[in-house]
Amino acid sequence: MGSRRSEVLLVAALFVFGTALYALRWLLFPGEVPHSEMWRFLIGDVAFLFLQVAFVTFFIDRLLRERERRALLQKLNMVIGAFFSEIGGELLGRIAGADRNLASVRDDLIPRSTWTPTHYALARQALARHKPSIDVTACDLHELKEMLVRHRQFVLGLLGNQALLDHQAFTELLWAITHLAEELQARQSLENLPEADAAHIAVDIRRAYNLLTSQWLDYMSHLQAQYPFLFSLAVRLNPFDPEAHPEISA
């Protein structure tokens, strides 16, 4: 509010100052420039001002905004890349191993170097139709908790990153992971959980899993387009591919 008021006051002051200069010119040089000519110059200057404002607003300002958007997107993708390198890839692999319905969508989540944007669009559609079924008995909750607690400060640090303010989906993912870590850490024991409590944990895991898978697919698309060498390694470490391994065999 204060910044807006300062801008209004500045514009008003400039208008008053400009008007005062034109009035002073009128009084000091009444005979050198006819009043009709003075009005003609004034109207021409005002018209040019409107054109200048239009040019700055619709061309230069838009160009600067697009440049700023690309720079912000680059920073955002760097943050997301750090997330998947630090915790995202391992977390996705652990949860995917407990998804009893993964086989129905597995082939749609194995990007190749030949993939086009159409392939990624089809993968997103398959992912939207997928209904994960998390078997908590197939997911070592104790190891999952230890991993989440170990990376807790890293995840919380990402939540404070200014580059993520406009990325709602990724922010929701971080909050889902943080909540899952808190749920697991709050229990004294993760062994022999009551059926209702195990179902509750499964819901929290599934929430993080859905958001994580969606972000992972977007991240793979970004790597393929911008960093083929990083994409190559990501494909060889694909948590959905049972045959994935980091070594290049052929």
Side-chain angles (χ1 to χ4, degrees):
M1 178 65 73
S3 176
R4 180 68 175 176
R5 182 180 180 184
S6 299
E7 291 178 358
V8 172
L9 291 176
L10 177 60
V11 171
L14 291 174
F15 179 79
V16 172
F17 184 69
T19 303
L21 287 179
Y22 269 105
L24 182 62
R25 180 183 178 187
W26 192 316
L27 294 174
L28 294 179
F29 309 102
E32 295 186 12
V33 181
H35 291 170
S36 60
E37 287 295 313
M38 186 173 178
W39 282 111
R40 183 170 67 86
F41 291 145
L42 176 60
I43 294 174
D45 290 342
V46 172
F48 177 74
L49 177 62
F50 281 114
L51 293 176
Q52 184 180 37
V53 170
F55 178 77
V56 171
T57 301
F58 292 103
F59 292 97
I60 297 180
D61 185 62
R62 180 171 297 180
L63 181 63
L64 293 176
R65 286 180 181 273
E66 178 63 19
R67 184 176 180 181
E68 181 180 356
R69 187 190 69 82
R70 290 181 180 178
L72 182 60
L73 184 61
Q74 181 69 16
K75 292 180 181 179
L76 177 60
N77 285 321
M78 290 175 61
V79 172
I80 294 176
F83 165 78
F84 277 104
S85 296
E86 184 72 18
I87 180 178
E90 180 183 357
L91 178 60
L92 186 55
R94 285 183 177 275
I95 301 178
D99 181 5
R100 291 181 293 186
N101 294 338
L102 180 60
S104 64
V105 75
R106 188 192 302 275
D107 292 341
D108 297 300
L109 298 176
I110 303 180
R112 304 297 183 190
S113 59
T114 56
W115 271 32
T116 65
T118 300
H119 290 92
Y120 283 101
L122 292 174
R124 292 185 184 95
Q125 292 176 12
L127 186 61
R129 296 191 299 268
H130 179 53
K131 302 298 182 183
S133 177
I134 304 300
D135 181 5
V136 294
T137 61
C139 182
D140 192 322
L141 296 182
H142 179 73
E143 289 189 4
L144 181 61
K145 182 189 75 170
E146 291 298 321
M147 186 191 69
L148 293 177
V149 171
R150 186 168 65 252
H151 293 93
R152 181 183 181 88
Q153 292 304 315
F154 175 76
V155 174
L156 292 177
L158 291 182
L159 282 170
N161 193 303
Q162 294 296 314
L164 298 178
L165 292 179
D166 295 327
H167 199 309
Q168 183 177 358
F170 190 70
T171 302
E172 289 180 359
L173 167 60
L174 296 179
W175 280 121
I177 293 174
T178 301
H179 174 71
L180 176 59
E182 291 175 346
E183 286 278 5
L184 296 177
Q185 193 174 16
R187 288 159 175 78
Q188 293 183 352
S189 174
L190 295 171
E191 303 292 336
N192 301 318
L193 292 175
E195 183 176 346
D197 198 36
H200 179 81
I201 293 294
V203 170
D204 290 332
I205 294 176
R206 185 167 60 248
R207 180 189 302 111
Y209 180 50
N210 287 333
L211 294 169
L212 186 59
T213 307
S214 178
Q215 287 299 310
W216 176 83
L217 197 58
D218 290 343
Y219 176 61
M220 294 294 287
S221 176
H222 166 71
L223 287 185
Q224 183 177 4
Q226 300 295 329
Y227 303 101
F229 60 98
L230 293 178
F231 175 74
S232 174
L233 178 60
V235 167
R236 284 179 276 128
L237 296 176
N238 188 334
F240 296 107
D241 187 354
E243 301 180 358
H245 52 82
E247 297 81 12
I248 300 176
S249 56

